[in-house]
Amino acid sequence: MKSRLLFAGLSTVLAAVLLRSILSAPAVGRMRAVPAHACLVYNSESPGWFLSFFPMFGTAGGEFSNDWKTDGTGMQNVFQTLEARPLTVATVSFGGRERRDTWVAVSELGGPAALALRWRLMLFPPAGISPVRPYAVWPVWRFEHPSLPGWAQVRFSVTESLLICSVSTDSRDIHRLLDTIDGRAPSRADSAVK
């Protein structure tokens, strides 16, 4: 009886510590995911103005916006949340097949929001989003839509507190961004400290 009570008590403490560590994960700055040699295009705490130029986020974005905001999976709330989250957009040259720069977008979600988005994408991915092979410990998704240019390979990942997206000719550029956030490649955050 005592051993069961002790086991239940320790299990409860372990679950509470685990839940607290997930919900209070330290914030990772957006610049940690941006490669050191990237050219910043936009960096702001309130990106609503910048996102209004893209039909996916606009209130009158037409078919593209409507598909995403009324797909029945609750993704409307996700994109409304992104409109109010800090955002960094940059271009970086990884030397892809056509020598196009890779567009990088990094949005701060916070621990609980990132966890909720990751689970939502794994269990109920909206139309146009499908999982691809994970990289290291991070799940990766592909986004496809007929309105995108043929060269645009859109890949994104959700880490502990960031949504990281790459748009490029090479689908592996998301791996380079994940290497950057994991510290295997230099980031803008490292160069800002020096």
Side-chain angles (χ1 to χ4, degrees):
M1 180 71 168
K2 285 184 180 181
S3 63
R4 287 184 186 174
L5 187 60
L6 181 64
F7 180 74
L10 289 176
S11 297
T12 304
V13 169
L14 177 64
V17 168
L18 214 72
L19 185 62
R20 180 175 165 88
S21 67
I22 289 172
L23 295 178
S24 64
V28 175
R30 297 182 309 276
M31 292 300 171
R32 173 66 58 217
V34 178
H37 62 285
C39 176
L40 284 182
V41 174
Y42 184 83
N43 188 23
S44 177
E45 297 297 316
S46 54
W49 173 83
F50 180 79
L51 294 175
S52 68
F53 288 100
F54 299 94
M56 175 186 216
F57 296 100
T59 55
E63 176 191 345
F64 189 63
S65 178
N66 291 336
D67 287 350
W68 275 70
K69 291 189 175 182
T70 59
D71 66 355
T73 63
M75 292 305 286
Q76 176 178 8
N77 295 337
V78 171
F79 291 113
Q80 286 174 345
T81 300
L82 289 178
E83 290 175 353
R85 299 291 180 153
L87 175 72
T88 297
V89 178
T91 61
V92 62
S93 176
F94 287 131
R97 291 187 293 265
E98 296 178 22
R99 300 285 184 213
R100 291 180 189 261
D101 283 354
T102 298
W103 283 87
V104 176
V106 183
S107 180
E108 283 183 33
L109 296 176
L115 185 64
L117 177 60
R118 192 177 318 141
W119 278 102
R120 188 176 294 169
L121 289 169
M122 283 194 283
L123 298 175
F124 309 106
I129 289 186
S130 57
V132 294
R133 180 181 299 163
Y135 183 73
V137 298
W138 305 118
V140 178
W141 290 272
R142 162 185 33 223
F143 172 67
E144 296 171 320
H145 194 273
S147 67
L148 292 171
W151 61 266
Q153 299 286 321
V154 181
R155 301 289 188 270
F156 65 95
S157 183
V158 180
T159 65
E160 283 117 351
S161 60
L162 300 174
L163 170 71
I164 305 169
C165 180
S166 73
V167 180
S168 67
T169 57
D170 191 345
S171 61
R172 295 169 298 181
D173 286 348
I174 188 68
H175 300 167
R176 294 177 178 100
L177 299 177
L178 293 171
D179 281 343
T180 302
I181 198 166
D182 285 340
R184 291 188 290 269
S187 73
R188 291 288 289 221
D190 297 334
S191 61
V193 171
K194 296 177 182 177

